[in-house]
Amino acid sequence: MNLKTKIILDEYRQKKPDFQLLQTTVKNVMGELVAASGVDIFSLGSRIKAEDSLRGKLERKGDKYSSLADITDILGTRIVTTYSDGVDAIAKLIPEYFIVDVENSVDKRTLLKDDVFGYMSVHFICSLRASDKYPEEICAYRFEIQICSVLQHVWSLINHDLGYKTEFGVPHSVRREFARLASLVEIADEHFIKVRDTANEYTSSVHEKIISGNVDGVSLDYTTLKEYMQHSAPMTAYQKKLSESLGVEIEYVAPDSYMIPLLWLGKNTIGDVQKMLEENGDRAIDLARTFLENTDLDIISSTVALRFLCQTELLVQKKSREEMVEFFTLLTENNTRAQRMADSLLKKADCILR
């Protein structure tokens, strides 16, 4: 170990608490940045370079550094976005929150040739602004911010695990296979964005139909049922009437568990659910009171509204005990519990159908 390496390592040990403070500060700022961006992220992480790793770097590239401040990745942070278009959205905000060392920052996406595929990420070398009243001792040091999509993140982890760093000593067949896989990752990133956008457009279209009350032709699926439970005027009015009747608050819970039971009841569209509500809503509230009015509940889930609506439908359709057990088994995935629920409901039949 030469003298310069020893001096830098000694400084690293001495200044490590400063880097720990820097890490905490940067992580907090990054959290604010991500929140401001509105981007869906997979993870936000950071690490301080271990001493052994720093020693190895100095032994390999020691001529480049004269002091610890010259090393820009003692602190490294990484933002992993769910979708690749989130990388640009985050990257645009970095200069607003940090001082960017433009000369040492790099967008690896622009370095690849048109016919080459590989790891694509944006790397910023940054520092904190002293004018933002951060502790002076941490503003002198630069740190690295990497931004990539979750697929690119997985790619880099596998790439690193396999030790695929250069083409030297790696067989042509292996390099070719890596290139093929890299192209698939890039294509997958693009198609996930398309799938997301298509799904968002579908949700927006469904939302508009439900708000307008035009639900007859809206197929029943997880998206439409969720939108209906949250935004349909008749359904929200029914839930409000149910909560007032029971003297409880209603807390929203996703209605996913009712999808298959509703289809079993023959409800294939949101219009079918709406008709069930119109015909049996008041009876469902009466049924809910017979089960819940003497309990000490203060809050019930929004799915309770569906629960008693469906149970009323079972009685109106005059389903047999065996059929009721089948319905409740679909709902609870527990046959013993389903039998108890069926027997309990049958005991209430007279008060609802009289």
Side-chain angles (χ1 to χ4, degrees), residues 26-27 30-31 33-35 37 39-47 76-83 86-87 90 119 145-154 156-157:
V26 170
K27 187 174 181 179
M30 294 295 285
L33 186 156
V34 167
S37 73
V39 170
D40 185 16
I41 69 164
F42 175 75
S43 65
L44 169 59
S46 63
R47 64 97 184 101
T77 66
R78 174 174 285 182
I79 300 176
V80 180
T81 63
T82 304
Y83 301 97
V87 174
I90 295 288
Y119 180 55
I145 300 174
Q146 295 183 18
I147 314 170
C148 64
S149 73
V150 65
L151 287 182
Q152 286 293 328
H153 176 58
V154 171
S156 69
L157 291 176

Side-chain angles (χ1 to χ4, degrees), residues 47-308:
R47 64 97 184 101
I48 296 173
K49 187 180 286 293
E51 183 172 335
D52 288 345
S53 177
L54 176 58
R55 180 183 295 107
K57 182 169 188 168
L58 292 171
E59 290 173 351
R60 294 190 307 272
K61 304 177 181 180
D63 293 342
K64 292 178 59 176
Y65 311 113
S66 59
S67 70
L68 189 65
D70 293 333
I71 304 173
T72 59
D73 65 344
I74 297 295
L75 172 62
T77 66
R78 174 174 285 182
I79 300 176
V80 180
T81 63
T82 304
Y83 301 97
S84 59
D85 58 355
V87 174
D88 285 326
I90 295 288
K92 287 178 182 177
L93 291 178
I94 294 294
E96 296 182 20
Y97 287 80
F98 304 104
I99 298 172
V100 176
D101 180 350
V102 177
E103 183 177 346
N104 289 298
S105 299
V106 60
D107 185 344
K108 291 196 172 185
R109 300 171 300 177
T110 65
L111 300 181
L112 294 177
K113 297 178 181 179
D114 293 341
D115 59 348
V116 176
F117 302 91
Y119 180 55
M120 297 189 297
S121 64
V122 181
H123 291 206
F124 286 98
I125 302 301
C126 300
S127 56
L128 296 171
R129 291 188 180 90
S131 59
D132 289 339
K133 297 182 180 179
Y134 297 115
E136 183 178 349
E137 62 270 23
I138 65 175
C139 292
Y141 293 104
R142 290 174 291 176
F143 52 90
E144 183 179 57
I145 300 174
Q146 295 183 18
I147 314 170
C148 64
S149 73
V150 65
L151 287 182
Q152 286 293 328
H153 176 58
V154 171
W155 166 259
S156 69
L157 291 176
I158 295 174
N159 203 7
H160 183 271
D161 183 60
L162 293 176
Y164 182 61
K165 297 181 181 301
T166 71
E167 65 180 60
F168 301 108
V170 178
H172 171 75
S173 60
V174 174
R175 296 201 306 273
R176 179 170 174 76
E177 194 66 21
F178 262 93
R180 293 174 63 198
L181 289 171
S183 68
L184 289 176
V185 169
E186 187 171 332
I187 292 169
D189 253 336
E190 293 176 357
H191 279 277
F192 274 123
I193 291 173
K194 292 179 181 178
V195 169
R196 178 203 62 193
D197 291 346
T198 300
N200 287 342
E201 289 170 6
Y202 174 64
T203 300
S204 296
S205 173
V206 167
H207 181 80
E208 290 177 5
K209 290 179 180 179
I210 286 175
I211 290 295
S212 68
N214 182 25
V215 297
D216 287 345
V218 178
S219 297
L220 181 66
D221 59 38
Y222 290 116
T223 298
T224 57
L225 184 58
K226 177 182 177 182
E227 288 291 320
Y228 182 71
M229 291 298 294
Q230 288 186 294
H231 303 295
S232 164
M235 175 52 76
T236 52
Y238 162 63
Q239 292 180 54
K240 181 179 179 182
K241 187 175 180 180
L242 178 62
S243 69
E244 291 174 349
S245 177
L246 296 173
V248 298
E249 294 181 13
I250 288 186
E251 182 178 74
Y252 176 76
V253 173
D256 295 1
S257 61
Y258 280 83
M259 260 296 303
I260 303 302
L262 282 169
L263 292 172
W264 184 91
L265 282 170
K267 313 307 175 184
N268 298 308
T269 68
I270 293 298
D272 293 335
V273 178
Q274 175 91 348
K275 184 178 179 181
M276 181 171 64
L277 173 61
E278 292 169 353
E279 294 177 350
N280 297 325
D282 289 339
R283 285 175 170 175
I285 291 175
D286 290 341
L287 183 62
R289 278 202 298 264
T290 66
F291 275 100
L292 301 177
E293 66 180 352
N294 294 321
T295 65
D296 295 328
L297 295 173
D298 295 319
I299 300 175
I300 60 174
S301 69
S302 56
T303 54
V304 168
L306 277 178
R307 170 184 165 187
F308 288 107

